[in-house]
Amino acid sequence: MAKENFPALPVMPHVLVKIPAAILESLIGKTKFAISMEESRYTLNGGLLILKPDTLAMVATDGHRLALAETDQKLAGLTGSKSPDSKEAMDEVEKLASAAGSDAHIEFAKDESHLSFKLATGC
């Protein structure tokens, strides 16, 4: 099929913060077990990434279990942000982070309708 038949990929907005890949991978790994697998509970089919200037946290629940993981991570230039992530997005970011090197960071950005994650090595 011709490429004109497909929608254009969104452009990554201004990067809000760079998160160490190992820390993000750890937070996802500690919370994703609590994400609901029931399609009827679509509001619980993901996790919530909470970014604050002094802490980074991820929380997930399936209505019976609650998982919260947080770390003291200074995030320069950030005033605070909350972003819901789908299970599929969390799985892909976890794979990306685990394949990255020890000095890699994940750049995080968002706009009205999209979350963007990009691997940045050597930061």
Side-chain angles (χ1 to χ4, degrees):
M1 294 182 74
K3 68 179 184 178
E4 293 81 25
N5 295 337
F6 296 93
L9 291 175
V11 176
M12 185 167 179
H14 175 72
V15 174
L16 290 177
V17 67
K18 291 182 181 180
I19 304 168
I23 290 175
L24 190 56
E25 178 187 8
S26 173
L27 292 175
I28 293 171
K30 291 177 181 178
T31 56
K32 73 177 184 176
F33 75 91
I35 296 172
S36 178
M37 300 305 279
E38 296 178 38
E39 289 184 23
S40 63
R41 303 189 81 179
Y42 63 90
T43 57
L44 303 177
N45 286 347
L48 181 66
L49 179 63
I50 304 168
L51 305 166
K52 295 181 183 176
D54 294 330
T55 59
L56 176 62
M58 181 155 287
V59 64
T61 185
D62 63 1
H64 301 286
R65 300 176 289 191
L66 176 67
L68 170 65
E70 64 183 337
T71 183
D72 295 333
Q73 178 67 36
K74 301 286 186 208
L75 300 173
L78 187 70
T79 58
S81 179
K82 295 181 183 176
S83 300
D85 300 326
S86 69
K87 177 164 181 9
E88 293 81 11
M90 289 174 62
D91 287 340
E92 291 302 317
V93 170
E94 184 180 33
K95 284 183 208 174
L96 183 69
S98 68
S102 60
D103 64 338
H105 286 67
I106 304 289
E107 294 178 346
F108 173 75
K110 70 177 190 174
D111 61 14
E112 303 83 39
S113 57
H114 296 96
L115 297 177
S116 299
F117 297 91
K118 180 180 175 186
L119 179 62
T121 57
C123 296

